[in-house]
Amino acid sequence: MASNRYCIIMAGGSSTRFWPLSKSTSPKQFLDILGTGKTFIQSTYERFCQIIPKENIYVVTNEKYRDLLVNQLPELKEEQILLEPIRRNTAPCIAYACYKLLNIDPEANIVVTPADHLILNESKFLKTVESALSYTENHDALMTLGIHPNRAETAYGYIQINAEEQVDKHEHTYKVKTFTEKPNIELAKVFVDSGEFYWNSGIFVWNLKSILNALSENLPEIDSLFRDGVGIYNSPKEKDFIANIYSLCRSISIDFGVMEKAQNVYVKCADFGWSDVGSWASLFQVSPKKGRGNAEIGDNIITYNTSNCIISNKSDKMLVVQGLNDYIVAQTDQATMIIPKSNEKEVKNIVADVSNLSKEFI
C-alpha cells in the first residue's frame, strides 16, 4: 500500500429516515440495518483497510457520536477521530480533515467517502478507487465516482459526462460537463435514456494540493477559516479552535461549493453494485426477497398473505404480518411503524409528531 494514500470517512449525519431503527442518538451509519452482522461504518472501514494503511484512515463525526464510533472501531487512534461540534454539511467537514492532513503529509492522496453506503462488488469497487488514486496522485484533478444508472431514480444526483474528453489510459474516466441535483421522474428518464448521465455516488478522489486549491478558489471564506488553523491542528488547541470556527461556518455541500464550479472535475464511471441505502424503498431494492417478494430483515417474523413488503424486526418480540401489500413494517423494542411504501416521504413528519409526543422515541 502506498504510504501517502489516505481515506476520510464522513460519519456525522443524523438521518431519521430509517425511524424507528435510526434515531438521533443512533443514526444509520452506526446501525446494522442490512442485517449483515456489521454496521455501515464498520463495513466501510474494513473495506478501505484493504487498500489504505489503517493508520491513514480518518473518521469525521459529530461530538455526540464519539462513544458510538470508539465502541464500533476501537482500533482507531484518538488523532484519527475528528469531532465536529455542530453539523455544517460536507464542505467544512472535508476542509477540516484536509487541513489536518496538511500538517501530517502534504503529499497526501485522498479518497473521501460517506460512512453509510452499500457496495455489493467490493473487489471491483476497490480497483476503481485504486485506478482513480493512481491518476490523482500525479494530476491536478478533482474526481468523483459515477454509477451507471439502471433505472430512472429521483433520489440521486446526476453527473453528465463530456464523452469527447476521455482521460488517456484511464478507461471510463471523463471530464464532467454538468451536475444536476435530484431531478423529477420525467427528467430522470431523459437522463438515463441519453446514456450521458451517471448517478453521483458522493465518493471523491483527489490529492491534497488540488482540493486545497479548489477550496481556496471556490469557497474562500470557509477555506480561510480552516487555513488559520495551520500549526494548531494535531495539538491540544485544536478542539477549541474547531469549536470556534464551526460556529462561523455556513452549511454547504462540497458538491455545490466546489465540484459544480471547478474546471478540473472528472468522473470515473463504474458499476459495482452501489446504493446509498437512503430510504426504506432503497433498502427494499437491495435486500434479498423471500416468498411473495417480501424483504425480511431480522428474526421472529411470520407473514400470511403478505407481498412486496419490507419487514424489519430489531426487537426480541414476535412480529406477525397478515394481509399487507407494498408496506413498510419496522419494529424495535420501543416502537413499531406500519405505513404504505408509497407514503415513505411521510416518515419525516411522523418523526416530528413522535418527537412532539416524547423525545424518548427519537
Side-chain angles (χ1 to χ4, degrees):
M1 297 182 189
S3 61
N4 71 326
R5 288 185 177 178
Y6 292 80
C7 177
I8 298 168
I9 300 175
M10 300 182 291
S14 61
S15 173
T16 54
R17 285 175 290 180
F18 280 101
W19 190 87
L21 273 66
S22 173
K23 304 199 304 183
S24 60
T25 54
S26 54
K28 167 188 159 191
Q29 61 268 29
F30 298 108
L31 299 177
D32 177 20
I33 287 178
L34 296 167
T36 62
K38 295 178 182 177
T39 65
F40 275 112
I41 196 165
Q42 287 172 327
S43 296
T44 300
Y45 175 79
E46 291 178 9
R47 184 180 304 127
F48 280 98
C49 280
Q50 299 176 60
I51 60 170
I52 305 288
K54 287 184 177 182
E55 64 273 16
N56 289 1
I57 298 178
Y58 289 74
V59 180
V60 188
T61 192
N62 191 276
E63 286 179 349
K64 64 181 179 181
Y65 303 139
R66 181 193 176 280
D67 290 346
L68 279 173
L69 177 61
V70 170
N71 288 336
Q72 294 190 12
L73 296 178
E75 56 268 54
L76 287 178
K77 296 178 181 178
E78 197 67 32
E79 57 267 26
Q80 292 173 266
I81 301 173
L82 285 65
L83 300 177
E84 296 181 294
I86 49 179
R87 286 187 294 274
R88 283 294 184 262
N89 215 319
T90 54
C93 164
I94 289 169
Y96 178 15
C98 287
Y99 271 108
K100 188 176 175 74
L101 286 181
L102 182 62
N103 277 25
I104 298 168
D105 186 353
E107 302 302 316
N109 197 23
I110 307 163
V111 54
V112 180
T113 180
D116 52 4
H117 287 183
L118 171 68
I119 305 293
L120 293 176
N121 190 334
E122 285 203 350
S123 61
K124 189 172 183 179
F125 169 75
L126 294 175
K127 287 179 181 177
T128 302
V129 173
E130 287 195 299
S131 176
L133 284 167
S134 71
Y135 185 78
T136 59
E137 185 169 17
N138 299 305
H139 294 85
D140 180 22
L142 307 176
M143 191 169 290
T144 185
L145 303 189
I147 312 301
H148 193 283
N150 56 22
R151 63 186 184 277
E153 177 60 66
T154 60
Y156 298 151
Y158 285 74
I159 301 169
Q160 183 183 21
I161 65 170
N162 188 333
E164 297 179 356
E165 292 193 53
Q166 183 170 5
V167 175
D168 292 341
K169 300 181 181 179
H170 280 261
E171 190 178 5
H172 307 305
T173 303
Y174 303 90
K175 193 83 177 287
V176 170
K177 184 181 289 186
T178 63
F179 286 89
T180 303
E181 292 301 315
K182 301 172 184 177
N184 59 36
I185 187 62
E186 291 78 14
L187 190 55
K189 288 178 180 177
V190 172
F191 285 173
V192 173
D193 291 343
S194 75
E196 293 184 358
F197 288 81
Y198 291 76
W199 289 336
N200 186 354
S201 70
I203 300 170
F204 308 103
V205 184
W206 45 49
N207 66 55
L208 187 57
K209 182 179 179 181
S210 292
I211 185 57
L212 292 183
N213 285 341
L215 285 167
S216 177
E217 291 173 8
N218 298 287
L219 287 174
E221 75 285 3
I222 287 179
D223 179 73
S224 64
L225 287 172
F226 287 93
R227 187 180 295 274
D228 286 344
V230 173
I232 296 176
Y233 298 110
N234 308 302
S235 79
K237 297 180 180 180
E238 180 179 325
K239 182 178 180 180
D240 289 341
F241 172 77
I242 289 299
N244 179 55
I245 64 171
Y246 260 75
S247 66
L248 304 174
C249 264
R250 64 175 169 135
S251 178
I252 186 170
S253 70
I254 197 71
D255 300 79
F256 183 73
V258 172
M259 301 299 281
E260 294 181 18
K261 299 175 181 177
Q263 300 301 308
N264 57 333
V265 179
Y266 298 82
V267 57
K268 178 169 283 294
C269 304
D271 185 6
F272 37 72
W274 170 90
S275 171
D276 75 345
V277 198
S279 64
W280 284 108
S282 61
L283 178 59
F284 177 78
Q285 289 170 349
V286 300
S287 297
K289 309 300 189 294
K290 293 190 175 182
R292 301 177 69 104
N294 295 313
E296 299 179 12
I297 303 171
D299 299 320
N300 303 323
I301 297 173
I302 300 176
T303 63
Y304 301 96
N305 191 29
T306 293
S307 58
N308 300 316
C309 290
I310 179 161
I311 305 167
S312 174
N313 188 13
K314 292 293 184 179
S315 74
D316 294 329
K317 303 172 186 176
M318 178 66 68
L319 180 56
V320 181
V321 182
Q322 181 180 32
L324 294 184
N325 179 57
D326 285 323
Y327 265 71
I328 300 165
V329 181
Q331 177 170 270
T332 68
D333 287 330
Q334 285 191 311
T336 302
M337 182 182 72
I338 305 169
I339 64 170
K341 284 194 292 187
S342 60
N343 289 0
E344 182 181 31
K345 291 182 180 179
E346 294 299 315
V347 172
K348 183 177 180 180
N349 295 330
I350 291 170
V351 171
D353 290 341
V354 171
S355 177
N356 291 333
L357 182 66
S358 174
K359 299 293 185 184
E360 175 186 356
F361 298 105
I362 55 96

